[in-house]
Amino acid sequence: MPRPALRSRSLRRIYVKLPSGKTAIHYERKKNDIPKCAMCKKPLHGVKTNFLHKYGKSEKRPERPFGGYLCSSCLAQLIKATVRQQIQ
């Protein structure tokens, strides 16, 4: 049985065939999915995807309102819509 830290399902199991013919299990972290815009579902640029524990908060996503949540074009549409509502 593997040690308790490796029993977690947050780790990916890779079955590796050894030269002796035995099968060994290697454990590695699962890769994150590509971040997508909440409105248009396009992939976000400038957002880190894997091993986020290595980076600081400002390195993981853009430093602007809704950075890492909305793409720049959807954010521009949202700002224009809110300004138009305030004017009327």
Side-chain angles (χ1 to χ4, degrees):
M1 180 175 267
R3 65 179 198 259
L6 298 179
R7 289 184 215 154
S8 168
R9 279 294 166 177
S10 62
L11 295 173
R12 190 166 80 108
R13 288 161 172 74
I14 301 164
Y15 292 89
V16 179
K17 192 101 173 198
L18 301 176
S20 63
K22 292 184 179 179
T23 304
I25 301 175
H26 289 181
Y27 298 89
E28 68 178 26
R29 288 176 182 256
K30 291 179 182 176
K31 293 183 179 174
N32 295 335
D33 206 10
I34 297 168
K36 295 177 180 67
C37 174
M39 289 174 70
C40 65
K41 307 299 184 217
K42 288 183 189 170
L44 290 175
H45 302 291
V47 181
K48 304 265 186 192
T49 54
N50 288 328
F51 309 115
L52 295 176
H53 64 280
K54 290 184 178 181
Y55 304 109
K57 191 172 186 179
S58 60
E59 291 177 283
K60 292 178 191 174
R61 48 156 178 66
E63 281 289 313
R64 58 174 158 79
F66 298 99
Y69 186 70
L70 293 178
C71 65
S72 57
S73 57
C74 289
L75 179 62
Q77 289 176 0
L78 185 72
I79 291 171
K80 288 175 187 175
T82 54
V83 168
R84 286 180 185 137
Q85 283 181 348
Q86 289 177 354
I87 292 172
Q88 293 176 354

